[in-house]
Amino acid sequence: MTPGRPVVLGLSCGLLPPDPIRPLFKGKPLAYGEGNLSDALAGSGALPMLLPKLADLDRLAELIDVVDALVLSGGTDVSPEVYGEVALRPEWSGDPERDRYERHLIAAALAAGKPILGVCRGAQILNAALGGGLYQDIATQVEGALRHRDWDSYDDNSHTVTIDADSFLAGVYGPGALRINSVHHQAIRSLAPGFRAVATAPDGIIEALERIDDAQFLLGVQWHPEWLPSLDDPRTEPRREPLPELVTEGDTHTRSRAPGAPLFAAFIAAVAKRRDFK
Ligand code: MN
């Protein structure tokens, strides 16, 4: 590898199955990327590349070979089958095809010792694929939970998290309180072996996990940093303390949320360091 060349990040795609009544690409399967994630990573200095799902899933390892790290994108629910449950409601049955595709990507990245960043669903599939469990639905399974998803406010919905000292995330944002967006109805219930929770919401929901050692660099955040504006965006203010411990309903102050760019920049720097060290 050439030190100094841009970090190449492979992004997992969302999948749209063949739909005979869809006007665009009628009846054809689609693999898509969410534009803000690509732009946020490119804006932080990396070269993002979408990794399409291939009929031969074993060939995904060849795609992983040409990128420096894997980014698991946000999107649909993880199928409860991945963590040994059946769907409690049909609408929580998730996307088994995407699970299979991303599990191949995860296995290939692990085998190659390449870092993984999971965003929202990405944090969930990373945990579930490696042996952890999820809540199928926070609102019905966690008593007293905050509102972690709201259709109307969408990525303006926010709450605080407490970041563990001595974590990679604390190196980015400092330990203690941070306000992030929240657009999820599933969450990590039990951690996969080797992972630790490094950010927790006031209701106890795990909002970030890490497994970082000499061999692996695995990081997942339950929020969408790509939807949090950067420091030079007039909507953003740097983190201030103290933040309120509990968020009341309707408390969606965009101006007090953390910017996402420092997290991407720190991840990209960590990827470059590991790549160039090998
Ligand atoms: Mn949340």
Side-chain angles (χ1 to χ4, degrees), residues 148 159 182 184 207:
H148 286 270
H159 59 72
S182 190
H184 59 111
E207 293 273 342

Side-chain angles (χ1 to χ4, degrees), residues 7 32 48 73-74 136 174 180 210 267 274:
V7 164
Y32 67 92
S73 310
Q136 294 189 29
I180 43 77
E210 292 180 7
F267 177 70
R274 285 179 176 240

Side-chain angles (χ1 to χ4, degrees), residues 17-258:
D19 179 352
I21 60 168
R22 187 175 58 215
L24 193 62
F25 294 105
K26 169 187 173 184
K28 307 299 182 194
L30 300 181
Y32 67 92
E34 197 277 315
N36 290 281
L37 181 58
S38 305
D39 278 333
L41 294 166
S44 293
L47 287 176
M49 288 174 45
L50 293 179
L51 306 179
K53 176 186 167 286
L54 300 173
D56 181 358
L57 292 172
D58 290 332
R59 294 207 61 193
L60 294 175
E62 296 175 49
L63 294 181
I64 291 294
D65 280 344
V66 302
V67 299
D68 297 316
L70 170 65
V71 177
L72 297 164
S73 310
T76 48
D77 285 347
V78 172
S79 167
E81 292 159 32
V82 177
Y83 46 95
E85 294 185 11
V86 293
L88 299 171
R89 291 187 192 170
E91 62 266 35
W92 300 338
S93 55
D95 187 346
E97 185 186 11
R98 184 163 172 187
D99 297 340
R100 275 192 295 279
Y101 153 69
E102 288 188 326
R103 292 182 79 170
H104 274 75
L105 291 174
I106 291 167
L110 282 177
K114 295 195 172 169
I116 302 178
L117 172 64
V119 171
C120 198
R121 169 198 157 84
Q124 295 170 1
I125 186 67
L126 180 63
N127 182 59
L130 298 180
L134 304 180
Y135 290 112
Q136 294 189 29
D137 179 66
I138 296 168
T140 55
Q141 293 186 301
V142 183
E143 208 182 321
L146 297 172
R147 186 189 291 256
H148 286 270
R149 185 175 69 174
D150 182 86
W151 178 252
D152 291 322
S153 53
Y154 205 64
D155 57 320
D156 268 339
N157 189 47
S158 74
H159 59 72
T160 55
V161 294
T162 301
I163 297 179
D164 266 29
D166 197 30
S167 62
F168 177 81
L169 211 51
V172 179
Y173 292 113
L178 185 77
R179 182 177 293 272
I180 43 77
N181 58 24
S182 190
V183 195
H184 59 111
H185 84 106
Q186 300 196 313
I188 292 161
R189 185 175 197 161
S190 58
L191 286 164
F195 279 92
R196 65 188 187 109
V198 293
T200 309
D203 57 5
I205 293 292
I206 293 171
E207 293 273 342
L209 74 167
E210 292 180 7
R211 192 178 110 192
I212 298 174
D213 54 35
D214 289 343
Q216 303 289 352
F217 187 103
L218 311 177
L219 168 65
V221 292
Q222 184 57 76
W223 61 92
H224 283 272
E226 72 276 25
W227 295 340
L228 291 164
S230 61
L231 277 171
D232 54 9
D233 188 301
R235 288 190 300 157
T236 308
E237 278 180 6
R239 174 169 157 267
R240 297 157 302 164
E241 290 193 75
L243 287 169
E245 181 63 18
L246 276 163
V247 182
T248 53
E249 209 165 294
D251 178 7
T252 56
H253 303 295
T254 302
R255 289 180 62 80
S256 64
R257 296 183 304 172

